[in-house]
Short mmCIF file of all heavy atoms in Angstrom, two decimals:
data_model
loop_
_atom_site.label_atom_id
_atom_site.label_comp_id
_atom_site.label_asym_id
_atom_site.label_seq_id
_atom_site.Cartn_x
_atom_site.Cartn_y
_atom_site.Cartn_z
N LEU T 3 13.15 -3.52 3.53
CA LEU T 3 14.10 -3.78 2.46
C LEU T 3 13.92 -2.83 1.28
O LEU T 3 14.87 -2.23 0.78
CB LEU T 3 13.96 -5.23 1.97
CG LEU T 3 14.87 -5.64 0.80
CD1 LEU T 3 16.33 -5.56 1.20
CD2 LEU T 3 14.50 -7.05 0.33
N ARG T 4 12.66 -2.66 0.85
CA ARG T 4 12.40 -1.86 -0.34
C ARG T 4 11.02 -1.24 -0.26
O ARG T 4 10.10 -1.81 0.36
CB ARG T 4 12.51 -2.72 -1.60
CG ARG T 4 12.50 -1.91 -2.90
CD ARG T 4 12.64 -2.80 -4.11
NE ARG T 4 12.51 -2.01 -5.33
CZ ARG T 4 12.24 -2.50 -6.52
NH1 ARG T 4 12.03 -3.79 -6.67
NH2 ARG T 4 12.15 -1.71 -7.58
N ILE T 5 10.86 -0.06 -0.86
CA ILE T 5 9.58 0.66 -0.86
C ILE T 5 9.25 1.08 -2.29
O ILE T 5 10.12 1.60 -3.01
CB ILE T 5 9.65 1.92 0.03
CG1 ILE T 5 9.95 1.54 1.49
CG2 ILE T 5 8.34 2.71 -0.06
CD1 ILE T 5 10.29 2.73 2.36
N ILE T 6 8.00 0.88 -2.71
CA ILE T 6 7.52 1.41 -3.98
C ILE T 6 6.33 2.32 -3.69
O ILE T 6 5.31 1.85 -3.15
CB ILE T 6 7.11 0.31 -4.96
CG1 ILE T 6 8.30 -0.56 -5.34
CG2 ILE T 6 6.49 0.92 -6.22
CD1 ILE T 6 7.96 -1.69 -6.31
N LYS T 7 6.45 3.59 -4.04
CA LYS T 7 5.32 4.52 -3.95
C LYS T 7 4.58 4.53 -5.29
O LYS T 7 5.17 4.28 -6.34
CB LYS T 7 5.81 5.94 -3.67
CG LYS T 7 6.47 6.17 -2.35
CD LYS T 7 6.78 7.66 -2.22
CE LYS T 7 7.55 7.98 -0.97
NZ LYS T 7 7.75 9.43 -0.81
N HIS T 8 3.31 4.86 -5.23
CA HIS T 8 2.55 5.03 -6.47
C HIS T 8 3.18 6.14 -7.30
O HIS T 8 3.50 7.21 -6.79
CB HIS T 8 1.09 5.35 -6.19
CG HIS T 8 0.19 5.08 -7.36
ND1 HIS T 8 0.25 5.84 -8.52
CD2 HIS T 8 -0.77 4.14 -7.56
CE1 HIS T 8 -0.64 5.37 -9.37
NE2 HIS T 8 -1.27 4.34 -8.82
N GLU T 9 3.36 5.86 -8.59
CA GLU T 9 4.05 6.80 -9.47
C GLU T 9 3.32 8.13 -9.62
O GLU T 9 3.95 9.16 -9.91
CB GLU T 9 4.26 6.18 -10.84
CG GLU T 9 5.14 4.93 -10.85
CD GLU T 9 4.42 3.67 -10.39
OE1 GLU T 9 3.17 3.71 -10.19
OE2 GLU T 9 5.10 2.64 -10.19
N GLN T 10 2.01 8.13 -9.41
CA GLN T 10 1.25 9.37 -9.57
C GLN T 10 1.07 10.13 -8.27
O GLN T 10 0.46 11.20 -8.26
CB GLN T 10 -0.12 9.07 -10.20
CG GLN T 10 -0.03 8.56 -11.62
CD GLN T 10 -1.39 8.48 -12.27
OE1 GLN T 10 -2.15 9.45 -12.26
NE2 GLN T 10 -1.71 7.34 -12.85
N PHE T 11 1.61 9.59 -7.19
CA PHE T 11 1.51 10.32 -5.92
C PHE T 11 2.25 11.65 -6.04
O PHE T 11 3.38 11.72 -6.52
CB PHE T 11 2.12 9.50 -4.78
CG PHE T 11 2.26 10.28 -3.51
CD1 PHE T 11 1.13 10.65 -2.79
CD2 PHE T 11 3.50 10.68 -3.05
CE1 PHE T 11 1.25 11.39 -1.62
CE2 PHE T 11 3.62 11.41 -1.88
CZ PHE T 11 2.49 11.77 -1.17
N GLY T 12 1.61 12.72 -5.57
CA GLY T 12 2.22 14.05 -5.60
C GLY T 12 1.88 14.88 -6.82
O GLY T 12 2.19 16.07 -6.87
N ARG T 13 1.22 14.27 -7.80
CA ARG T 13 0.90 15.02 -9.01
C ARG T 13 -0.35 15.88 -8.86
O ARG T 13 -0.53 16.83 -9.59
CB ARG T 13 0.72 14.07 -10.20
CG ARG T 13 2.00 13.35 -10.59
CD ARG T 13 1.80 12.56 -11.85
NE ARG T 13 3.01 11.84 -12.23
CZ ARG T 13 3.11 11.08 -13.32
NH1 ARG T 13 2.07 10.95 -14.14
NH2 ARG T 13 4.24 10.45 -13.59
N TYR T 14 -1.23 15.49 -7.95
CA TYR T 14 -2.48 16.23 -7.76
C TYR T 14 -2.50 16.83 -6.35
O TYR T 14 -3.09 16.28 -5.44
CB TYR T 14 -3.69 15.32 -7.97
CG TYR T 14 -3.71 14.67 -9.33
CD1 TYR T 14 -3.24 13.38 -9.50
CD2 TYR T 14 -4.18 15.36 -10.43
CE1 TYR T 14 -3.25 12.78 -10.75
CE2 TYR T 14 -4.19 14.78 -11.69
CZ TYR T 14 -3.72 13.49 -11.83
OH TYR T 14 -3.72 12.89 -13.07
N TYR T 15 -1.82 17.93 -6.18
CA TYR T 15 -1.74 18.61 -4.89
C TYR T 15 -1.15 17.71 -3.81
O TYR T 15 -1.32 17.94 -2.62
CB TYR T 15 -3.12 19.11 -4.45
CG TYR T 15 -3.77 20.05 -5.41
CD1 TYR T 15 -4.66 19.59 -6.37
CD2 TYR T 15 -3.48 21.42 -5.37
CE1 TYR T 15 -5.25 20.47 -7.28
CE2 TYR T 15 -4.07 22.29 -6.27
CZ TYR T 15 -4.96 21.82 -7.22
OH TYR T 15 -5.54 22.68 -8.10
N GLY T 16 -0.45 16.67 -4.22
CA GLY T 16 0.21 15.79 -3.26
C GLY T 16 -0.71 14.86 -2.49
O GLY T 16 -0.29 14.25 -1.52
N ILE T 17 -1.96 14.70 -2.91
CA ILE T 17 -2.88 13.92 -2.08
C ILE T 17 -3.46 12.70 -2.77
O ILE T 17 -3.94 11.80 -2.10
CB ILE T 17 -4.04 14.80 -1.57
CG1 ILE T 17 -4.76 15.48 -2.74
CG2 ILE T 17 -3.53 15.84 -0.58
CD1 ILE T 17 -5.97 16.29 -2.31
N SER T 18 -3.45 12.65 -4.09
CA SER T 18 -4.03 11.51 -4.80
C SER T 18 -3.02 10.37 -4.89
O SER T 18 -1.81 10.59 -4.84
CB SER T 18 -4.45 11.94 -6.21
OG SER T 18 -5.10 10.88 -6.88
N HIS T 19 -3.53 9.13 -5.01
CA HIS T 19 -2.68 7.94 -5.13
C HIS T 19 -1.72 7.82 -3.94
O HIS T 19 -0.55 7.47 -4.10
CB HIS T 19 -1.90 7.94 -6.44
CG HIS T 19 -2.76 8.03 -7.67
ND1 HIS T 19 -3.24 9.22 -8.15
CD2 HIS T 19 -3.22 7.05 -8.48
CE1 HIS T 19 -3.98 8.99 -9.24
NE2 HIS T 19 -3.98 7.68 -9.45
N ASP T 20 -2.23 8.09 -2.74
CA ASP T 20 -1.39 8.11 -1.54
C ASP T 20 -1.24 6.70 -0.98
O ASP T 20 -1.80 6.35 0.06
CB ASP T 20 -2.01 9.05 -0.51
CG ASP T 20 -1.09 9.32 0.68
OD1 ASP T 20 0.08 8.92 0.60
OD2 ASP T 20 -1.56 9.92 1.66
N ILE T 21 -0.45 5.89 -1.67
CA ILE T 21 -0.27 4.50 -1.26
C ILE T 21 1.13 4.05 -1.61
O ILE T 21 1.73 4.49 -2.60
CB ILE T 21 -1.33 3.59 -1.91
CG1 ILE T 21 -1.35 2.21 -1.23
CG2 ILE T 21 -1.13 3.47 -3.42
CD1 ILE T 21 -2.59 1.41 -1.54
N ALA T 22 1.68 3.18 -0.76
CA ALA T 22 3.00 2.61 -0.99
C ALA T 22 3.01 1.16 -0.54
O ALA T 22 2.28 0.77 0.38
CB ALA T 22 4.07 3.40 -0.22
N VAL T 23 3.84 0.37 -1.20
CA VAL T 23 4.02 -1.04 -0.86
C VAL T 23 5.43 -1.23 -0.32
O VAL T 23 6.40 -0.72 -0.88
CB VAL T 23 3.80 -1.93 -2.10
CG1 VAL T 23 4.08 -3.39 -1.78
CG2 VAL T 23 2.38 -1.77 -2.62
N ILE T 24 5.55 -1.95 0.79
CA ILE T 24 6.83 -2.15 1.47
C ILE T 24 7.17 -3.63 1.50
O ILE T 24 6.32 -4.46 1.86
CB ILE T 24 6.76 -1.61 2.91
CG1 ILE T 24 6.56 -0.09 2.92
CG2 ILE T 24 8.01 -2.00 3.70
CD1 ILE T 24 6.32 0.47 4.30
N LYS T 25 8.40 -3.96 1.13
CA LYS T 25 8.90 -5.32 1.29
C LYS T 25 9.82 -5.36 2.51
O LYS T 25 10.69 -4.50 2.67
CB LYS T 25 9.66 -5.78 0.05
CG LYS T 25 10.08 -7.25 0.12
CD LYS T 25 10.66 -7.74 -1.19
CE LYS T 25 10.98 -9.22 -1.13
NZ LYS T 25 11.50 -9.74 -2.42
N LEU T 26 9.63 -6.36 3.35
CA LEU T 26 10.41 -6.49 4.57
C LEU T 26 11.66 -7.35 4.34
O LEU T 26 11.67 -8.21 3.45
CB LEU T 26 9.56 -7.12 5.67
CG LEU T 26 8.25 -6.37 5.99
CD1 LEU T 26 7.43 -7.16 6.99
CD2 LEU T 26 8.53 -4.97 6.50
N GLN T 27 12.67 -7.13 5.15
CA GLN T 27 13.92 -7.89 4.99
C GLN T 27 13.76 -9.34 5.40
O GLN T 27 14.37 -10.24 4.82
CB GLN T 27 15.04 -7.24 5.80
CG GLN T 27 15.53 -5.92 5.23
CD GLN T 27 16.78 -5.42 5.93
OE1 GLN T 27 17.44 -6.16 6.66
NE2 GLN T 27 17.11 -4.15 5.71
N THR T 28 12.93 -9.58 6.42
CA THR T 28 12.66 -10.95 6.86
C THR T 28 11.16 -11.14 7.01
O THR T 28 10.40 -10.18 7.19
CB THR T 28 13.35 -11.24 8.21
OG1 THR T 28 12.93 -10.25 9.17
CG2 THR T 28 14.86 -11.20 8.08
N SER T 29 10.74 -12.38 6.96
CA SER T 29 9.31 -12.69 7.03
C SER T 29 8.75 -12.50 8.43
O SER T 29 9.45 -12.79 9.43
CB SER T 29 9.05 -14.13 6.58
OG SER T 29 9.42 -14.32 5.24
N LEU T 30 7.52 -12.04 8.52
CA LEU T 30 6.83 -11.95 9.80
C LEU T 30 6.44 -13.35 10.26
O LEU T 30 6.15 -14.23 9.45
CB LEU T 30 5.57 -11.09 9.66
CG LEU T 30 5.77 -9.65 9.20
CD1 LEU T 30 4.41 -9.00 8.97
CD2 LEU T 30 6.59 -8.85 10.20
N ARG T 31 6.41 -13.54 11.57
CA ARG T 31 5.91 -14.79 12.14
C ARG T 31 4.40 -14.60 12.36
O ARG T 31 3.98 -13.91 13.28
CB ARG T 31 6.61 -15.12 13.46
CG ARG T 31 8.10 -15.33 13.31
CD ARG T 31 8.75 -15.81 14.61
NE ARG T 31 8.49 -14.91 15.73
CZ ARG T 31 9.22 -13.82 15.99
NH1 ARG T 31 10.23 -13.48 15.19
NH2 ARG T 31 8.93 -13.06 17.03
N MET T 32 3.63 -15.20 11.49
CA MET T 32 2.18 -15.03 11.54
C MET T 32 1.61 -15.86 12.69
O MET T 32 2.15 -16.90 13.07
CB MET T 32 1.55 -15.44 10.22
CG MET T 32 2.20 -14.80 8.99
SD MET T 32 2.08 -13.00 8.96
CE MET T 32 0.54 -12.79 8.09
N GLY T 33 0.52 -15.39 13.26
CA GLY T 33 -0.12 -16.10 14.36
C GLY T 33 -1.03 -15.17 15.12
O GLY T 33 -1.57 -14.20 14.55
N CYS T 34 -1.23 -15.41 16.40
CA CYS T 34 -2.10 -14.58 17.22
C CYS T 34 -1.58 -13.15 17.24
O CYS T 34 -0.45 -12.90 17.65
CB CYS T 34 -2.16 -15.16 18.62
SG CYS T 34 -3.28 -14.27 19.72
N GLY T 35 -2.38 -12.22 16.78
CA GLY T 35 -1.99 -10.81 16.76
C GLY T 35 -1.21 -10.39 15.54
O GLY T 35 -0.86 -9.21 15.42
N VAL T 36 -0.90 -11.32 14.64
CA VAL T 36 -0.18 -10.99 13.41
C VAL T 36 -0.83 -11.76 12.26
O VAL T 36 -0.65 -12.97 12.13
CB VAL T 36 1.32 -11.35 13.49
CG1 VAL T 36 2.04 -10.91 12.21
CG2 VAL T 36 1.97 -10.74 14.71
N SER T 37 -1.60 -11.06 11.44
CA SER T 37 -2.33 -11.72 10.37
C SER T 37 -2.52 -10.76 9.20
O SER T 37 -2.57 -9.54 9.40
CB SER T 37 -3.70 -12.20 10.87
OG SER T 37 -4.42 -12.85 9.84
N SER T 38 -2.62 -11.30 8.01
CA SER T 38 -2.86 -10.48 6.83
C SER T 38 -4.35 -10.18 6.68
O SER T 38 -5.19 -10.79 7.35
CB SER T 38 -2.35 -11.19 5.58
OG SER T 38 -3.04 -12.43 5.42
N ILE T 39 -4.66 -9.24 5.81
CA ILE T 39 -6.05 -8.90 5.50
C ILE T 39 -6.21 -8.82 3.99
O ILE T 39 -5.33 -8.27 3.30
CB ILE T 39 -6.47 -7.57 6.18
CG1 ILE T 39 -7.96 -7.29 5.96
CG2 ILE T 39 -5.61 -6.40 5.71
CD1 ILE T 39 -8.50 -6.12 6.77
N PRO T 40 -7.28 -9.38 3.43
CA PRO T 40 -7.46 -9.33 1.97
C PRO T 40 -7.83 -7.94 1.49
O PRO T 40 -8.46 -7.15 2.21
CB PRO T 40 -8.58 -10.34 1.72
CG PRO T 40 -9.33 -10.42 3.01
CD PRO T 40 -8.32 -10.19 4.10
N LEU T 41 -7.46 -7.65 0.25
CA LEU T 41 -7.81 -6.38 -0.38
C LEU T 41 -9.25 -6.43 -0.87
O LEU T 41 -9.69 -7.45 -1.41
CB LEU T 41 -6.88 -6.10 -1.57
CG LEU T 41 -5.38 -6.13 -1.32
CD1 LEU T 41 -4.63 -5.86 -2.61
CD2 LEU T 41 -4.98 -5.15 -0.24
N ALA T 42 -9.96 -5.33 -0.71
CA ALA T 42 -11.34 -5.26 -1.19
C ALA T 42 -11.38 -5.22 -2.72
O ALA T 42 -10.50 -4.64 -3.36
CB ALA T 42 -12.02 -4.03 -0.63
N ASN T 43 -12.41 -5.84 -3.29
CA ASN T 43 -12.64 -5.77 -4.73
C ASN T 43 -13.54 -4.61 -5.11
O ASN T 43 -13.56 -4.16 -6.25
CB ASN T 43 -13.28 -7.07 -5.23
CG ASN T 43 -12.33 -8.24 -5.18
OD1 ASN T 43 -11.24 -8.19 -5.74
ND2 ASN T 43 -12.72 -9.30 -4.48
N SER T 44 -14.30 -4.14 -4.14
CA SER T 44 -15.20 -3.00 -4.37
C SER T 44 -15.29 -2.22 -3.07
O SER T 44 -14.99 -2.75 -2.00
CB SER T 44 -16.59 -3.47 -4.81
OG SER T 44 -17.16 -4.31 -3.82
N TYR T 45 -15.69 -0.96 -3.17
CA TYR T 45 -15.78 -0.17 -1.94
C TYR T 45 -17.22 -0.10 -1.46
O TYR T 45 -18.17 -0.19 -2.24
CB TYR T 45 -15.18 1.22 -2.12
CG TYR T 45 -15.72 2.06 -3.24
CD1 TYR T 45 -16.84 2.86 -3.05
CD2 TYR T 45 -15.10 2.06 -4.49
CE1 TYR T 45 -17.33 3.64 -4.07
CE2 TYR T 45 -15.59 2.83 -5.52
CZ TYR T 45 -16.70 3.63 -5.30
OH TYR T 45 -17.20 4.39 -6.32
N PRO T 46 -17.42 0.05 -0.14
CA PRO T 46 -18.77 0.03 0.43
C PRO T 46 -19.61 1.22 -0.04
O PRO T 46 -19.10 2.28 -0.39
CB PRO T 46 -18.51 0.12 1.94
CG PRO T 46 -17.07 -0.21 2.12
CD PRO T 46 -16.39 0.21 0.88
N ARG T 47 -20.90 1.03 0.02
CA ARG T 47 -21.83 2.11 -0.33
C ARG T 47 -21.82 3.19 0.75
O ARG T 47 -21.51 2.91 1.91
CB ARG T 47 -23.25 1.55 -0.48
CG ARG T 47 -23.42 0.60 -1.64
CD ARG T 47 -24.85 0.12 -1.73
NE ARG T 47 -25.07 -0.75 -2.88
CZ ARG T 47 -26.24 -1.28 -3.21
NH1 ARG T 47 -27.31 -1.03 -2.44
NH2 ARG T 47 -26.35 -2.06 -4.27
#
């Protein structure tokens, strides 16, 4: 349905802030083989 790219993507040789969020037109049917994953609060050592 809609896509938002990070506003700073492309400003640093096109490689920094390489992330986008996508909204779907209809909801996914969650279950076996379809599940969300939580975002990390910190990155591994």
